[in-house]
Amino acid sequence: MAADRDDAVRRAARAVATQARRRSGEAGRLRLRLFSVILLVAAQCGLAAALSWALAHDVLGRPSPIFAPSAAVGTIVAALGQRARRTAELMLGVGLGLVISDLFVDILGFGLWQIGLVVALAIAVALLATGHSGALVAQAGSTAVLIATFAQFEQGLQWARIVDAGVGGVVALVVVALLLPVNPMRILNSATAPVASTLRTQLHEVGHALTERDRDRALRALDQLSAMDPDLQRMDEALGGAEEVTVIAPARWQRRLDVEHYRHGIPHIRRVSLGARELARWAATTLEYDEPIPEELPAAVGKLAEAVHLLRREARTGRPFEQTYQAVEHGARLAGRAYRKGRKPFSDAMVIQLRTMASDLLRATGCEPQTANRIVREASTA
C-alpha cells in the first residue's frame, strides 16, 4: 500500500515537472518572439528618424527640422494597424492648428491671455471634430502653441511645421512598408500565444477542479480567464497591424490569405474565451451546490483545452485542422455522454456551454456555422 502511494506521488511529481518545463519553454519562446519584434520596431524608429532629418535638412533646406524625426517616430510607435491613420491625423491636426491660430492671432494679437484662448479653441475644435483625443488633437494643440508664441519672432513657422509633419509621416510609412516591414505572421503568433496558453491552462484547471471537487480552484481559473481582456485587446491590435502591413508592404502581399484566415478566426477565439469564463462560473456553482459530476464532463473540458492548443499549432504551421477537428468531436461526444448520465441543472448548463465552445472552435478553423453546429450535434448525440 505504501509502495503504491509512493509510486503515485512520484508520478504526480513527474507530471508537475513536465508541465513546468513545457510552460517555461513556451514562455521563453514567447519572450524571444516579442524581443525580435521590439528590436525591429526600434530599428524602424532609428532609421525613420535619421532619414526624415536628412530629407528635411539636406534636401528641403530646413535648418532645424526637429519635428520631422519626432513625427516619424510618433507614427511608427502608434498602435499597430493605425500608422497610416496616424500620418493623416498628424497632417490634419497641424493644418487645423495653423488655421485656428493664424485666424485668431491676427485678430487678437500676441499676449498671455491670447495664447491660452487660441490653444483652448484649437483643442476644443479638434475634440469636436474627432470625438476623442489622439494625434489630431495633440498636433492641433501643439501647433497652436507654437504659432501663438513664436510666430511674432520667426517668419515661416506655418510652412516649416507642415513640411516637417509631412516628411516625418511619409518617411515612417516608407520605412514600415518598404525598408523594414514587419512579418505579419510573427505579430499574430506573438499576440495569439498568450490567449491560447491561458485558455488551455485554465480550461485544464476547470477540469481538474471538477474531478477533485475543488470549488476554489474553479474560482481561481475564473479569475485568470476574466483577466484576459488585455491579451485579447493586443490580439485585436495585432490583427489590425498585420492587415495594414499586407496592404502597404509589397514584400508581405503574399501573406494576405494567411492574415485573412486569422481575421476570420480571431472573433471566434474571443467568443471561446467568453464561453470559458461562463464554463468556469458554472463549474464553481455546480461544486457549490454539491451536484454529482459525471466523469465524462471534466474529460470533455480537457479535450476542448487540447483543441485550443492544436488549433493554434496547426494555424501557425499551415497544416490542415485535422487534429483540431478530432479533439473537438471527441470533446463533444464526452459532453453528450455527460448530459445523458447527469441530468442536473448546472451540469446541463456546462454541457450546453461546452457545445457552444466546440462550435466556435470549429468556426475558427473556417468551418461554416451550419456545418460546425451539425458536427457538434452529431458528435454529442452519437
Side-chain angles (χ1 to χ4, degrees):
M1 183 74 74
D4 293 341
R5 190 163 52 248
D6 291 341
D7 288 341
V9 171
R10 282 194 291 270
R11 285 195 299 270
R14 283 196 296 269
V16 170
T18 300
Q19 186 178 29
R21 285 194 298 270
R22 188 184 69 246
R23 290 181 180 176
S24 63
E26 291 175 353
R29 287 190 292 272
L30 177 60
R31 284 193 292 269
L32 182 61
R33 288 193 294 268
L34 180 60
F35 184 65
S36 65
V37 173
I38 291 173
L39 284 180
L40 180 58
V41 172
Q44 288 177 337
C45 288
L47 180 61
L51 290 179
S52 59
W53 172 275
L55 180 59
H57 183 269
D58 298 334
V59 178
L60 300 180
R62 290 273 292 113
S64 300
I66 298 174
F67 186 63
S70 176
V73 172
T75 298
I76 290 177
V77 300
L80 288 172
Q82 299 179 6
R83 287 163 174 171
R85 191 181 75 180
R86 173 85 173 202
T87 300
E89 288 183 350
L90 284 172
M91 299 300 296
L92 290 174
V94 169
L96 182 62
L98 289 175
V99 169
I100 293 176
S101 57
D102 273 350
L103 177 63
F104 284 94
V105 164
D106 288 342
I107 297 175
L108 302 175
F110 295 95
L112 183 64
W113 67 270
Q114 289 93 334
I115 294 173
L117 181 59
V118 168
V119 173
L121 287 172
I123 294 292
V125 172
L127 285 173
L128 287 173
T130 61
H132 59 85
S133 61
L136 191 152
V137 176
Q139 295 309 315
S142 61
T143 301
V145 169
L146 184 67
I147 301 304
T149 53
F150 287 104
Q152 59 178 326
F153 306 111
E154 184 176 345
Q155 299 298 316
L157 276 179
Q158 295 89 336
W159 169 246
R161 183 74 164 174
I162 292 175
V163 169
D164 284 358
V167 168
V170 171
V171 167
L173 289 180
V174 169
V175 169
V176 169
L178 299 178
L179 302 182
L180 290 175
V182 297
N183 186 337
M185 305 314 296
R186 186 179 294 274
I187 295 174
L188 288 170
N189 290 334
S190 298
T192 55
V195 174
S197 177
T198 300
L199 281 175
R200 181 191 186 189
T201 302
Q202 299 312 317
L203 283 174
H204 276 306
E205 285 296 297
V206 172
H208 292 316
L210 291 171
T211 301
E212 300 168 8
R213 304 196 66 83
D214 188 343
R215 176 177 175 271
D216 290 338
R217 193 168 184 174
L219 289 175
R220 288 194 296 271
L222 174 60
D223 290 340
Q224 293 297 318
L225 290 165
S226 300
M228 287 180 61
D229 286 339
D231 288 336
L232 293 171
Q233 180 64 34
R234 282 189 287 271
M235 185 173 65
D236 292 337
E237 291 176 356
L239 177 61
E243 290 179 323
E244 181 186 61
V245 170
T246 56
V247 170
I248 66 176
R252 304 303 185 190
W253 285 349
Q254 76 275 13
R255 289 295 193 175
R256 284 180 177 176
L257 185 59
D258 296 327
V259 173
E260 178 66 18
H261 290 159
Y262 273 86
R263 188 192 67 78
H264 177 84
I266 281 177
H268 299 296
I269 295 301
R270 178 178 280 277
R271 282 196 282 271
V272 170
S273 70
L274 296 176
R277 297 179 194 180
E278 292 302 314
L279 182 69
R281 187 175 289 111
W282 282 118
T285 304
T286 301
L287 295 169
E288 180 180 357
Y289 284 87
D290 200 27
E291 281 192 356
I293 299 172
E295 62 182 355
E296 290 86 356
L297 190 55
V301 176
K303 274 298 173 183
L304 286 196
E306 287 306 310
V308 171
H309 170 68
L310 292 169
L311 171 64
R312 179 176 177 272
R313 188 176 70 182
E314 291 178 327
R316 190 175 70 249
T317 57
R319 300 175 184 171
F321 294 100
E322 295 177 358
Q323 293 182 323
T324 303
Y325 273 60
Q326 293 172 5
V328 170
E329 290 186 55
H330 192 179
R333 281 197 300 271
L334 290 169
R337 294 175 190 170
Y339 177 78
R340 289 189 290 275
K341 290 177 64 175
R343 306 298 295 172
K344 294 293 183 179
F346 298 127
S347 295
D348 289 353
M350 279 193 286
V351 170
I352 294 171
Q353 196 66 61
L354 283 169
R355 291 180 60 171
T356 302
M357 293 167 60
S359 178
D360 282 328
L361 283 170
L362 291 179
R363 293 176 66 180
T365 67
C367 194
E368 292 297 325
Q370 296 83 357
T371 304
N373 292 335
R374 177 182 55 79
I375 291 173
V376 172
R377 182 173 59 252
E378 290 177 353
S380 60
T381 57

